[in-house]
């Protein structure tokens, strides 16, 4: 029996994944649920969808290297090393074939056809900065592609080829209907080896990696370099994900791959096809999740919703949304977290009027907001606050605070309109320090009301104690960015 080993993985020939899955499916179960047996073969599924999967080759012009490069004696082994890895020969003279000339760089990836007239989906990172894009079909046919549009936020790109005949294509499935444990099949061009299929299950849903709009399906179907942009199929032959990333200590598959959910991709593709760019809704608020101590400080029943930390000029401000509001519903859909709100707003059409429900001072309030466009609004500056009074220091809740003065504004790089209390000292054994507050933070609100004097701070803390609160909510700014923090008042 042959055993293939690698870092963190082992495959033993003679016991296939399908055999193992069938064996487990036949084992007795403790409860009334029954597992479904693994398919005997994926061959019919491969035959059904393979003609729609493509290999993508890109070509990019790389600028000539600048600066000094080491020179080696003629005939040195290092000359072979540079040649084998496609690097310019450091001993070559400047010129068309020397180190002073630009050179071409090629990259490989995968994609899939979504319409008979030649629209193709892939990852943005597959074609980013490419001068030329060539599509190779399962039949061996090759066509040049043009870029229709990209969305770096979801790492999706839409290409178009012109064909004399209709192309085989696949449709998007409903990624929300996919369950953990469902069988899936990945196809693509792993490590440049050509068309390849791998099978596995959905290991997890709703994974986040680094983006605001992340909604990844996690799978143990083998995904390697070159699979990027390829489709993840369900057993009906519909695309439920676009293979995008892997988690690996060695660059190879260890059974943790991520595919952007088709319900996200389909909406992006529709916009790229219609506009050549994305047009996401924009509410115009800065938000953060509600923690348990924040919920207690605000008198909320549960730590749910999206807490508004700032409202710059925009749709939300015009509609009357205020800092300290907790958004609990958007356009009729429940908002459990900031992630829920970001996705719902992004999916809503620009210019649409939507109902937004907020909790304010313990009461629900519904406002009508006309959404703006996210792409046009990015980069806007936050609003400024109001004037501060005379300087007085006070020790409260492990903090030594003082109002802003003109001298402090200059020292901190703030405008004359900035207002609040500056943290001058902090007890490093206090809850305030543990919660992340630091010297130099600017406290602009205490108990969801603006503060301009230390007496305001003291009065709000006492009011929270009198009301039986265990915590009080502070709004602080650090480098211009707002953040709510709940501090215990006992």
């Amino acid at each position: 029996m042959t055993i293939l080993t690698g870092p963190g993985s082992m495959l033993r020939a003679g016991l296939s994944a399908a055999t193992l899955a069938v064996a487990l499916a036949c084992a007795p179960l403790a409860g009334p649920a029954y597992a479904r047996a693994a398919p005997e073969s994926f061959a019919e599924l491969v035959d059904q969808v393979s003609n729609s999967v493509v290999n993508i080759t890109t070509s990019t012009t790389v600028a000539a290297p600048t600066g000094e490069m080491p020179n080696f004696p003629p005939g040195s082994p290092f000359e072979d090393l540079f040649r084998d890895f496609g690097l310019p020969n450091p001993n070559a003279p400047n010129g068309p074939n020397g180190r002073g000339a630009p050179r071409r760089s090629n990259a490989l990836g995968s994609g899939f056809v979504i319409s008979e007239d030649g629209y193709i989906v892939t990852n943005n990172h597959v074609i980013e900065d490419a001068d030329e894009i060539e599509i190779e079909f399962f039949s061996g046919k090759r066509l040049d592609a043009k870029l229709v549009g990209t969305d770096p936020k979801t790492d999706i790109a839409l290409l178009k080829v012109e064909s004399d005949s209709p192309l085989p294509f696949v449709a998007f499935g409903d990624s929300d209907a996919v369950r953990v444990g469902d069988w899936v099949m990945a196809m693509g061009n792993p490590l440049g080896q050509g068309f390849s299929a791998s099978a596995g299950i959905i290991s997890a849903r709703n994974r986040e990696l680094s983006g605001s709009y992340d909604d990844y399906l996690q799978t143990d179907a083998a995904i390697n370099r070159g699979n990027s942009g390829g489709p993840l199929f369900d057993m009906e032959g519909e695309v439920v994900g676009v293979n995008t990333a892997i988690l690996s200590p060695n660059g190879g598959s260890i059974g943790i791959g991520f595919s952007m959910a088709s319900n996200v991709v389909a909406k992006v593709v529709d916009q790229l096809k219609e506009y050549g760019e994305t047009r996401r809704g924009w509410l115009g608020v800065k938000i953060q999740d509600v923690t348990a101590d924040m919920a207690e400080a605000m008198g909320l029943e549960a730590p749910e919703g999206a807490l508004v930390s700032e409202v710059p000029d925009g749709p939300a401000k015009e509609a009357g949304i205020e800092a300290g509001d907790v958004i609990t519903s958007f356009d009729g859909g429940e908002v459990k977290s900031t992630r829920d709100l970001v996705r719902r707003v992004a999916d809503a059409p620009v210019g649409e009027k939507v109902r937004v429900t907020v909790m304010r001072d313990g009461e629900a309030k519904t406002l009508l907001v006309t959404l703006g466009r996210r792409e046009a609004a990015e980069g806007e500056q936050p609003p400024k606050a109001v004037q501060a009074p005379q300087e007085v220091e006070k020790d409260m809740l492990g903090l030594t605070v003082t109002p802003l003065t003109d001298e402090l504004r200059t020292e901190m790089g703030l405008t004359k309109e900035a207002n609040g209390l500056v943290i001058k000292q902090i007890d490093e054994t206090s809850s305030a320090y543990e919660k992340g507050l630091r010297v130099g933070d600017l406290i602009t609100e205490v108990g969801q009301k603006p503060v301009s004097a230390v007496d305001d701070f003291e009065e709000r803390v006492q009011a929270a104690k009198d009301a039986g609160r265990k915590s009080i909510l502070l709004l602080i700014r650090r480098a211009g960015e707002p953040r709510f923090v709940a501090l215990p008042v006992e």
Side-chain angles (χ1 to χ4, degrees):
M1 180 177 293
T2 303
I3 298 178
L4 304 178
T5 62
S9 65
M10 178 177 291
L11 172 65
R12 180 171 297 171
L15 183 60
S16 68
T19 303
L20 179 59
V22 172
L24 294 176
C26 295
L29 299 175
Y34 295 95
R36 296 172 60 186
E40 287 186 15
S41 172
F42 290 85
E44 291 185 3
L45 180 58
V46 171
D47 289 342
Q48 174 186 339
V49 301
S50 57
N51 286 330
S52 65
V53 182
V54 300
N55 293 342
I56 298 177
T57 303
T58 65
S59 180
T60 306
T61 301
V62 180
T66 58
E68 293 294 327
M69 295 184 65
N71 284 311
F72 304 110
S76 167
F78 287 104
E79 287 189 342
D80 295 334
L81 179 68
F82 274 72
R83 183 186 65 249
D84 292 342
F85 283 88
L87 300 174
N89 187 344
N91 288 338
N94 291 336
N97 299 315
R99 60 182 176 183
R103 57 189 178 86
R104 305 293 290 174
S105 174
N106 295 322
L108 301 173
S110 306
F112 55 98
V113 184
I114 60 168
S115 66
E116 65 177 12
D117 58 344
Y119 281 100
I120 295 171
V121 174
T122 186
N123 281 145
N124 175 62
H125 76 258
V126 170
I127 53 82
E128 193 171 19
D129 299 325
D131 300 324
E132 299 174 2
I133 305 172
E134 184 182 66
I135 307 298
E136 179 188 4
F137 294 86
F138 189 76
S139 63
K141 180 179 180 181
R142 295 175 181 268
L143 292 174
D144 291 332
K146 67 176 182 179
L147 180 62
V148 176
T150 67
D151 179 32
K153 293 185 183 298
T154 56
D155 199 9
I156 294 299
L158 183 64
L159 310 176
K160 182 71 165 62
V161 296
E162 301 297 333
S163 175
D164 296 334
S165 57
L167 297 173
F169 65 96
V170 288
F172 287 112
D174 182 5
S175 56
D176 289 341
V178 175
R179 302 170 301 168
V180 174
D182 281 348
W183 284 96
V184 286
M185 183 180 72
M187 292 195 73
N189 181 23
L191 303 173
Q193 295 302 302
F195 292 90
S196 177
S198 60
I201 64 168
I202 296 296
S203 307
R205 293 169 39 86
N206 304 124
R207 292 297 201 201
E208 292 182 78
L209 297 183
S210 59
S212 300
Y213 308 108
D214 285 359
D215 186 8
Y216 284 103
L217 300 175
Q218 181 183 324
T219 179
D220 63 354
I223 297 174
N224 287 286
R225 293 175 181 172
N227 273 113
S228 290
L232 186 72
F233 291 105
D234 63 15
M235 298 307 293
E236 303 302 319
E238 293 183 325
V239 178
V240 293
V242 178
N243 303 323
T244 302
I246 61 174
L247 182 62
S248 172
N250 53 30
S253 173
I254 60 169
I256 306 178
F258 301 95
S259 300
M260 181 62 74
S262 60
N263 286 0
V264 173
V265 177
K267 293 171 185 175
V268 170
V269 167
D270 287 344
Q271 291 190 351
L272 294 179
K273 187 183 294 186
E274 183 174 358
Y275 307 114
E277 59 186 359
T278 55
R279 297 188 177 183
R280 293 186 171 94
W282 178 58
L283 184 59
V285 291
K286 290 187 177 182
I287 53 176
Q288 65 184 89
D289 284 325
V290 179
T291 62
D293 51 0
M294 288 179 183
E296 196 281 332
M298 300 172 71
L300 302 177
E301 294 182 359
E304 297 178 350
L307 174 60
V308 178
S309 59
E310 184 178 31
V311 189
D313 291 339
K317 187 173 184 179
E318 293 172 2
I321 293 178
E322 301 175 0
D325 288 348
V326 177
I327 299 175
T328 58
S329 175
F330 179 87
D331 198 21
E334 190 176 16
V335 175
K336 291 282 190 180
S337 65
T338 56
R339 191 179 182 196
D340 284 346
L341 182 61
V342 168
R343 290 182 181 176
R344 291 184 185 279
V345 173
D347 289 344
V350 175
E352 180 177 283
K353 291 185 177 181
V354 298
R355 294 187 180 277
V356 179
T357 301
V358 303
M359 290 297 296
R360 182 186 299 169
D361 298 328
E363 297 183 358
K365 186 177 183 67
T366 299
L367 304 168
L368 194 63
V369 183
T370 301
L371 297 181
R373 184 184 171 198
R374 172 69 178 262
E375 291 81 2
E378 287 180 339
E380 292 192 358
Q381 297 298 317
K384 306 302 179 183
V386 292
Q387 185 70 28
Q390 71 279 3
E391 179 179 8
V392 180
E393 288 190 3
K394 191 80 174 182
D395 293 334
M396 293 287 295
L397 305 181
L399 305 171
T400 300
V401 295
T402 184
L404 278 174
T405 62
D406 289 339
E407 183 180 353
L408 281 174
R409 289 187 183 91
T410 301
E411 182 180 327
M412 298 173 65
L414 301 174
T415 65
K416 292 183 178 180
E417 292 76 20
N419 189 31
L421 303 176
V422 180
I423 299 177
K424 294 192 69 176
Q425 295 180 14
I426 185 168
D427 180 357
E428 295 189 5
T429 65
S430 66
S431 296
Y433 190 86
E434 181 183 346
K435 296 283 187 179
L437 296 185
R438 296 294 183 266
V439 172
D441 287 347
L442 179 64
I443 302 172
T444 60
E445 290 185 8
V446 176
Q448 297 183 270
K449 295 180 180 179
V451 289
S452 57
V454 292
D455 289 344
D456 296 337
F457 194 169
E458 192 172 22
E459 290 173 4
R460 307 278 162 70
V461 172
Q462 187 59 51
K465 291 180 179 180
D466 294 342
R469 302 275 188 220
K470 296 180 181 179
S471 304
I472 192 167
L473 205 62
L474 275 61
L475 177 60
I476 66 106
R477 285 184 180 275
R478 181 181 300 164
E481 291 299 315
R483 183 166 68 97
F484 279 103
V485 177
L487 292 184
V489 295
E490 300 177 347

